Amino acid sequence: MNGTNPGTRRYYIWSIGCQMNDADTARAAEALERMGFSRVADPRQADVLLLNTCVVRQSAEDRVRGHLASLKSVKRRRPDAFLAVMGCFVHDAAQLQRAYPYVDLFLRPSDVEGFVEAVRARMDSGEALLPPPPAPVSVYVPIIYGCDHFCTYCIVRLRRGRERSRPVEEIVGEVEDWVRRGAREVTLLGQNVDAYGRDLPGRPDLADLLEAVHGVENLWRIRFLTSHPADMTDRIIEAVARLPKVCEHFELPIQSGDDAVLKRMVRGYTVARYRDLVRRIRETVPGVSLATDVIVGFPGETEQQFLNTYRLLEEIRFDVVHVAAYSPRPGTAAARLPDDVPPEEKHRRLRMVEELQERISWEINAQLVGKVVEVLVEGRRQGRWFGRTRTNKLVFFQSPENWMGRLAQVHVAHAGPWSLSGEVTDGLTADPAESAEKTGHH
Ligand code: SAM
Ligand code: SF4
Ligand code: F3S
């Protein structure tokens, strides 16, 4: 790669996993583009290859190993290409290096800086960076790395380490930078975003951070995820209610609706406490939408315990439920328990939750038919503009105008479980927070 002409440098990125990985991948891609690289879909054409990995379930790890194996022949033919592997797959780098000798560099999760430095070190030094490309309408900004919880099924905390919060000023500076480049919405990211700040001097919390980010001019919307039920506070809920730019949406994984299972998962709350939290959120933030995560088939989960989860989902009626079948992960406490719910049974429970939730999401979305929703337009897909409501619902509409990065008032004509569609009635390009009332019209 040394001495390659900036005009002909190519990079390839393969990325799976959560929003944190998406954020890291986007940052790595941008850094490469500023060094003059252009993206290719075929790894055989690339001078730099990055795999950003996930191991949250065995199926994710299998995909990582499969993809890594397929790059062996690519590296054999192009030994001068630079292959880096980052993310939660990377634990014991020395051991991985022995298993995959053709990989040039293993990097811990979120070590984008380490990746960029390594690429720069291999290029001609002293080259000026290209100006940054325009920003997407909606961007992810990590605010806290790692996790201090002890959920017994979870490998994330083993791979991402202890909680580390970024200082408020650093985050605000990054948001200002994104907005200067054209972004209008930020999503503040962390494994437990509501634990933000406990490790910082003066202990600012997520409410303080929301307030600080809210002051960024020309920023229209603020989102945050994922929230841990045991870390959520009234202060944060009130900040969401009070601050006009903060969207009425919480991602609040419940994992199980049975106290005995929650206890074995070491989630740190009971069903009663979760229910009370949902009540407080719904009372304080009118029109709020709620998403959650559920694991079915955790070790020892009986039919009755599963049905407790099922009934709780019927009762709470989340807008979105991400459901996963339990997968034992090496090194976790639950991996020492017998994985005693058979695969077919896990699958049956998974399907039951999916079918229930499809119906509920559909019913909730159907209530929006005939109403006008405000959509921040993020792009075009198959001839239609798309974007999200403040409550995080995906909306499509057709229009000959250029709606990119604008707020569209969309009259909803159709609703499905996963998206809405309709016709645009009016547009706004000014800062909506100046005039709009906080809630009520969503
Ligand atoms: N910190 C967040 C939380 O507390 O839920 C997100 C953690 S993880 C990146 C995202 C989701 O993956 C979890 O909410 C959980 O439902 C699922 N998950 C984690 N470990 C799992 C496992 N061993 N088997 C199945 N699903 C798992
Ligand atoms: Fe994993 Fe639990 Fe931490 Fe979420 S809170 S990352 S599920 S240990
Ligand atoms: Fe996967 Fe790591 Fe995210 S295991 S889900 S990439 S935190």
Side-chain angles (χ1 to χ4, degrees), residues 66-349:
H67 203 80
L68 201 42
S70 77
L71 291 180
K72 187 174 182 176
S73 63
V74 174
K75 266 295 275 192
R76 199 184 308 118
R77 257 176 266 138
R78 290 277 315 274
D80 61 324
F82 176 64
L83 170 58
V85 176
M86 185 167 79
C88 294
F89 179 68
V90 181
H91 181 45
D92 182 344
Q95 189 201 324
L96 284 171
Q97 196 66 73
R98 285 192 294 276
Y100 301 97
Y102 54 95
V103 172
D104 296 288
L105 185 63
F106 286 98
L107 297 137
R108 303 298 297 259
S110 295
D111 190 8
V112 180
E113 266 167 44
F115 169 72
V116 174
E117 257 169 48
V119 173
R120 198 168 286 146
R122 287 172 165 244
M123 289 182 8
D124 292 340
S125 54
E127 263 176 39
L129 292 179
L130 299 173
V137 175
S138 180
V139 294
Y140 288 131
V141 174
I143 63 165
I144 176 169
Y145 296 105
C147 175
D148 282 359
H149 284 272
F150 294 93
C151 308
T152 51
Y153 53 80
C154 183
I155 195 170
V156 170
R157 49 178 293 274
L158 303 174
R159 299 296 164 96
R160 290 202 175 250
R162 300 293 305 268
E163 284 170 2
R164 282 122 31 227
S165 303
R166 295 174 67 194
V168 173
E169 314 79 64
E170 185 183 310
I171 295 164
V172 171
E174 184 180 334
V175 173
E176 284 171 344
D177 197 47
W178 280 119
V179 171
R180 218 172 290 127
R181 291 170 47 198
R184 290 288 172 262
E185 174 179 277
V186 292
T187 301
L188 308 177
L189 281 187
Q191 295 306 328
N192 303 300
V193 89
D194 45 350
Y196 174 80
R198 289 197 289 223
D199 55 328
L200 291 175
R203 295 173 64 98
D205 69 357
L206 181 61
D208 296 319
L209 181 67
L210 289 171
E211 184 101 45
V213 173
H214 196 270
V216 175
E217 258 179 69
N218 296 321
L219 175 69
W220 292 348
R221 286 179 174 184
I222 304 167
R223 301 184 184 280
F224 57 93
L225 61 87
T226 305
S227 298
H228 193 291
D231 293 325
M232 186 49 69
T233 63
D234 287 341
R235 239 178 90 80
I236 298 173
I237 300 169
E238 279 154 19
V240 175
R242 183 178 75 247
L243 298 168
K245 295 181 186 177
V246 179
C247 294
E248 299 76 30
H249 179 71
F250 288 75
E251 305 251 348
L252 207 58
I254 184 161
Q255 309 300 2
S256 167
D258 182 89
D259 281 340
V261 175
L262 284 174
K263 198 159 187 185
R264 288 206 301 281
M265 289 177 163
V266 189
R267 285 292 288 176
Y269 52 84
T270 57
V271 171
R273 255 191 78 194
Y274 189 94
R275 207 184 254 126
D276 184 59
L277 178 58
V278 168
R279 182 187 57 75
R280 280 183 285 141
I281 291 174
R282 285 182 165 160
E283 275 173 17
T284 314
V285 189
V288 70
S289 69
L290 297 175
T292 201
D293 294 5
V294 165
I295 296 174
V296 295
F298 186 77
E301 185 188 68
T302 63
E303 176 69 8
Q304 191 51 51
Q305 290 170 334
F306 165 69
L307 288 175
N308 287 342
T309 301
Y310 188 89
R311 294 206 185 100
L312 192 70
L313 298 178
E314 275 183 315
E315 174 196 320
I316 295 185
R317 294 176 67 83
F318 292 97
D319 292 77
V320 172
V321 174
H322 310 281
V323 54
Y326 170 72
S327 166
R329 305 310 294 131
T332 61
R336 294 195 296 270
L337 304 171
D339 182 17
D340 53 4
V341 180
E344 323 76 70
E345 180 56 22
K346 282 183 187 164
H347 187 70
R348 188 186 70 89
R349 294 178 188 181

